[in-house]
Amino acid sequence: MPLLFVGYVVAYLDRVNVGFAKLQMLSSLHFSEAAYGLGAGFFFIGYFLFEVPSNLLLHRFGARRWIARIMITWALLSMVTAWVHTPLMFYVVRFLLGVAEAGFFPGMILYLTYWFPSHRRGKMTALLMAGIPVSGLLGGPLSGYLMHACNGTWGLEGWQWLFIVEALPSLVLGFVIYRCLDDRVADAKWLSSEEKRLIQDEIDADAVVRTHGSVRAVFGSARVWLLCLVLFGVVMGSYAIGFWQPTIIRGTGIDDPLMIGLLTMIPYSVALISMITVGRHADRTRERRWHVVVPALVAACGFSLCAANGDSSLLSMIGLTLAVSGVVSALPMFWALPTAFLGGSGAAAGIALINCTGNLAGFISPTVIGWLKGYTHTLASGLVLTACTLTLSAVLILVFIPARLVNR
């Protein structure tokens, strides 16, 4: 779990650091808001197209080899972003970065099903996805510092140093994972034979109740496609934060990148506590639906507050804290829903399908919000749209996902 956690921290950092780079990148390269939004979103087109094949390959060849391959290739492409100088180059590199990273997160969710039964997986998924707020806690100040202190060093601007330096941990960790990660319980030399048997018995007993065990069953399931839509709404909120949080803070009158980076620590600190607390409570009560619904509605309220008070630093920070805490708590709890009934190759395909389809919001969110900001000269309309998608996701869960299917 520590190794997976660190991997997810650096993955999320490399995925959304373009939101900080934007503070200097747009003026340096003369990009429009719409061009930035489109480029930020192109990542998710590559991600969408290669997600299911990548996860099936992970299931076949093992997490150790495949996750290591993913991390090394995306680190190299993230570094290359430092040298783009036209919108087309930006679009191509972001697309290839999505191709490289495809399969990383659903591969980790699938990997957890190899090691933990459903009644323990909520807490473990929350621990894994604690990488999001921790990435924000570390990445915000680091990104702000690099852009502030390294601007002009060796002829490179601060935003270029950001992409280069923040890709290095992914590159190193890729080799560490290849050397250290165990694919299955049976491969773990640090477990005794009795411990291996006990864990595997729990996993096998958990697998008996799963109903979607093949790729065909997954693609023909209305419930799986419904969860794709639910995740789409929640991810709209996630990337509204990832790509636009620095812009929201700057809109209140704070211009220094380092100060903006430090202020992002506040929402992520609260979110870290929130998601761990919610994950533990969900496993203790074995209730899954409301542990997604309530955080999603809290996030919707937070985005609405930001939209209505964009010129107030205090109210915007309160809104951002609610939004970040809600989204970050809802995401790991969401994954308890599909993993409750997906198994075998169906789990590999289903988790990847839900994740890649839901993550199309990563393309829609920055593209639409960027276009709306350019058209209306304010982020308010985009934030209201995000609040609506989160509310819709909460309603769909309550109406169409029966408690008996997922509460265990």
Side-chain angles (χ1 to χ4, degrees):
M1 287 307 299
L3 192 56
L4 296 181
F5 168 76
V6 174
Y8 197 61
V9 168
V10 298
Y12 200 78
L13 181 64
D14 280 346
R15 184 182 297 187
V16 301
N17 58 10
V18 70
F20 268 97
K22 170 183 179 287
L23 299 176
Q24 291 180 352
M25 192 178 185
L26 265 62
S27 59
S28 174
L29 300 179
H30 307 291
F31 286 4
S32 67
E33 293 280 354
Y36 162 77
L38 185 60
F42 256 114
F43 171 96
F44 297 94
I45 300 300
Y47 196 79
F48 171 77
L49 293 174
F50 289 87
E51 185 89 320
V52 174
S54 181
N55 220 37
L56 290 172
L57 287 170
L58 182 146
H59 183 62
R60 179 176 178 182
F61 293 116
R64 180 175 65 88
R65 294 182 182 86
W66 202 249
I67 291 177
R69 191 281 305 164
I70 288 172
M71 297 194 74
I72 292 167
T73 52
W74 101 49
L76 296 174
L77 284 164
S78 187
M79 285 184 185
V80 169
T81 312
W83 286 278
V84 302
H85 56 267
T86 67
L88 180 59
M89 291 177 68
F90 184 48
Y91 301 158
V92 170
V93 171
R94 289 291 296 176
F95 174 82
L96 292 176
L97 190 63
V99 173
E101 193 181 322
F104 179 74
F105 175 72
M108 286 194 164
I109 295 296
L110 177 64
Y111 185 69
L112 292 182
T113 68
Y114 300 160
W115 287 82
F116 300 102
S118 59
H119 66 271
R120 295 187 62 204
R121 210 177 301 130
K123 181 173 69 175
M124 294 304 165
T125 305
L127 286 172
L128 170 66
M129 297 189 70
I132 296 177
V134 170
S135 177
L137 283 170
L138 300 176
L142 175 61
S143 297
Y145 173 78
L146 290 171
M147 293 171 64
H148 180 85
C150 298
N151 198 29
T153 302
W154 293 351
L156 298 176
E157 297 186 34
W159 66 268
Q160 294 175 296
W161 280 111
L162 182 153
F163 284 119
I164 295 168
V165 173
E166 292 186 356
L168 292 175
S170 300
L171 187 63
V172 172
L173 197 61
F175 290 101
V176 173
I177 283 177
Y178 181 78
R179 182 173 180 82
C180 299
L181 196 68
D182 294 311
D183 284 326
R184 300 272 184 168
V185 174
D187 301 325
K189 296 181 176 61
W190 44 274
L191 289 172
S192 68
S193 298
E194 178 62 22
E195 288 169 335
K196 291 178 184 179
R197 185 193 61 76
L198 180 64
I199 294 170
Q200 194 60 54
D201 285 349
E202 276 204 320
I203 300 299
D204 293 342
D206 195 51
V208 171
V209 299
R210 293 175 183 160
T211 58
H212 293 55
S214 69
V215 176
R216 178 178 295 182
V218 164
F219 279 89
S221 171
R223 186 168 288 139
V224 169
W225 289 105
L226 174 69
L227 289 176
C228 292
L229 182 59
V230 170
L231 183 61
F232 183 95
V234 178
V235 172
M236 282 287 288
S238 178
Y239 288 109
I241 294 164
F243 292 133
W244 298 99
Q245 182 176 212
T247 304
I248 293 171
I249 297 173
R250 187 171 66 176
T252 67
I254 300 169
D255 292 321
D256 180 44
L258 180 57
M259 181 56 66
I260 292 172
L262 291 173
L263 285 174
T264 61
M265 294 177 69
I266 298 172
Y268 283 118
S269 297
V270 177
L272 179 59
I273 298 169
S274 171
M275 72 183 305
I276 298 300
T277 302
V278 171
R280 289 179 180 276
H281 189 265
D283 277 356
R284 187 168 65 251
T285 60
R286 300 201 181 187
E287 198 290 322
R288 304 302 176 184
R289 298 191 309 159
W290 284 102
H291 287 82
V292 185
V293 168
V294 172
L297 294 177
V298 168
C301 292
F303 282 115
S304 300
L305 186 60
C306 288
N309 300 277
D311 56 350
S312 168
S313 296
L314 176 61
L315 292 177
S316 290
M317 287 306 300
I318 293 173
L320 278 172
T321 300
L322 291 173
V324 175
S325 299
V327 168
V328 166
S329 298
L331 278 171
M333 295 303 96
F334 166 83
W335 287 106
L337 306 181
T339 55
F341 61 87
L342 294 172
S345 60
I351 292 169
L353 175 64
I354 292 167
N355 190 63
C356 72
T357 307
N359 270 280
L360 279 177
F363 174 74
I364 300 297
S365 178
T367 303
V368 172
I369 294 177
W371 179 82
L372 287 172
K373 187 176 187 296
Y375 183 75
T376 64
H377 306 291
T378 176
L379 275 175
S381 55
L383 297 178
V384 169
L385 173 64
T386 302
C388 291
T389 65
L390 284 157
T391 303
L392 177 61
S393 291
V395 171
L396 289 174
I397 290 172
L398 290 178
V399 174
F400 294 107
I401 304 297
R404 58 177 171 75
L405 181 71
V406 296
N407 286 353
R408 59 173 181 266

